[in-house]
Amino acid sequence: DSSQSMASSLLQCGAITVWRAGCQEILNLSFSNKSKCSGRRIGIVSRTTKETSINVSVDLDGSGKCDVVTGIGFLDHMIGQLSKHGRFDISLKCVGDLHIDDHHTAEDCALALGEAFDLALGKREDIKRFGNAYCPLDEALSRSVVDISSRPSATINLNLTREMIGTISSEMLTHVLESFASMARITLHVHNIHGENNHHKVESAFKALGVAMRAAVSKDITAGIPSTKGMLA
């Protein structure tokens, strides 16, 4: 469209960057500078399409505070598990086209959340990089393994037997984890080991994800760039 054409022309003429109309870029710059000064790892994302409007912030060095409203109750609950057990402060607000179905809202929330994690991770240095966890919920047991690899990949098996959990389809819960891994630029393996209750299976998986992510993003000043290649990009 005309705005994209103008942006391309400005960049070709030597502009360093082009900000879209509105204040989001200014807010991102402000929070970025604030996080650099405080040493905190914070990512802020605003994502608006014809299907959803999302604002999300992630503080990797938080205490597990969570303020999430997606319009899908069970998704809110699962992001809450990631926040609490990862000790991440997460704020996510979404207005989506739930009159159609759960797909756009669930997918876009996961994409925005993953992007916020990616921004918060910054240069991906002085971190442990790898994390894994087993977490139970009653009869259900799940395992999550994380590599802050900068190579998006996801292998997910939740062993769900119901079509829906609350107002979200079971297939979308798998897709949420895949979408999150894609935009966070991580390698993610999540498997339900055993269980009977589908709610318990998914909740144990998200708890394990939180614990594994907490370990992977933990600071390790001896690590430098934790790759023999000398970069994670």
Side-chain angles (χ1 to χ4, degrees):
D1 58 21
S2 60
S3 62
Q4 290 177 328
S5 177
M6 181 180 293
S8 297
S9 297
L10 289 169
L11 291 169
Q12 290 172 5
C13 291
I16 297 174
T17 188
V18 177
W19 287 0
R20 296 169 294 175
C23 297
Q24 187 59 41
E25 280 81 1
I26 297 173
L27 289 172
N28 285 348
L29 179 62
S30 174
F31 276 101
S32 175
N33 289 337
K34 181 179 179 182
S35 64
K36 288 177 182 177
C37 292
S38 67
R40 300 183 76 86
R41 297 172 293 171
I42 298 172
I44 300 170
V45 170
S46 179
R47 175 189 172 94
T48 300
T49 70
K50 292 181 179 179
E51 299 163 344
T52 58
S53 178
I54 301 169
N55 290 288
V56 57
S57 67
V58 171
D59 183 350
L60 299 183
D61 302 303
S63 59
K65 296 176 183 177
C66 185
D67 182 14
V68 175
V69 180
T70 67
I72 303 174
F74 190 72
L75 182 59
D76 295 355
H77 184 37
M78 292 305 99
I79 296 174
Q81 299 303 317
L82 171 62
S83 170
K84 179 66 176 180
H85 298 286
R87 305 297 188 266
F88 307 126
D89 290 348
I90 298 176
S91 174
L92 191 156
K93 300 296 175 62
C94 174
V95 177
D97 56 0
L98 290 173
H99 61 284
I100 295 177
D101 66 7
D102 59 338
H103 187 101
H104 298 145
T105 294
E107 178 181 64
D108 288 1
C109 284
L111 292 171
L113 184 62
E115 185 179 358
F117 266 84
D118 181 33
L119 291 174
L121 282 165
K123 294 182 179 180
R124 301 185 174 217
E125 61 183 0
D126 295 330
I127 58 171
K128 291 186 177 179
R129 176 177 168 177
F130 301 100
N132 66 86
Y134 288 82
C135 284
L137 178 56
D138 295 346
E139 88 297 342
L141 176 67
S142 295
R143 176 186 65 231
S144 291
V145 182
V146 173
D147 177 7
I148 308 295
S149 61
S150 299
R151 295 188 303 278
S153 178
T155 302
I156 313 297
N157 189 348
L158 299 177
N159 288 323
L160 300 180
T161 57
R162 286 167 49 189
E163 182 178 352
M164 304 285 294
I165 301 180
T167 57
I168 188 170
S169 57
S170 293
E171 66 179 5
M172 283 310 301
L173 288 164
T174 295
H175 191 52
V176 161
L177 292 169
E178 293 169 341
S179 298
F180 172 77
S182 174
M183 290 303 288
R185 298 191 302 124
I186 64 174
T187 297
L188 177 62
H189 293 260
V190 179
H191 290 86
N192 170 251
I193 306 301
H194 55 248
E196 297 294 331
N197 184 290
N198 283 253
H199 183 132
H200 291 175
K201 291 178 184 180
V202 180
E203 186 168 338
S204 65
F206 273 82
K207 286 179 176 177
L209 174 60
V211 176
M213 285 290 293
R214 176 76 258 153
V217 307
S218 293
K219 295 179 180 179
D220 180 353
I221 60 173
T222 69
I225 302 294
S227 171
T228 55
K229 293 188 299 183
M231 63 183 297
L232 281 175

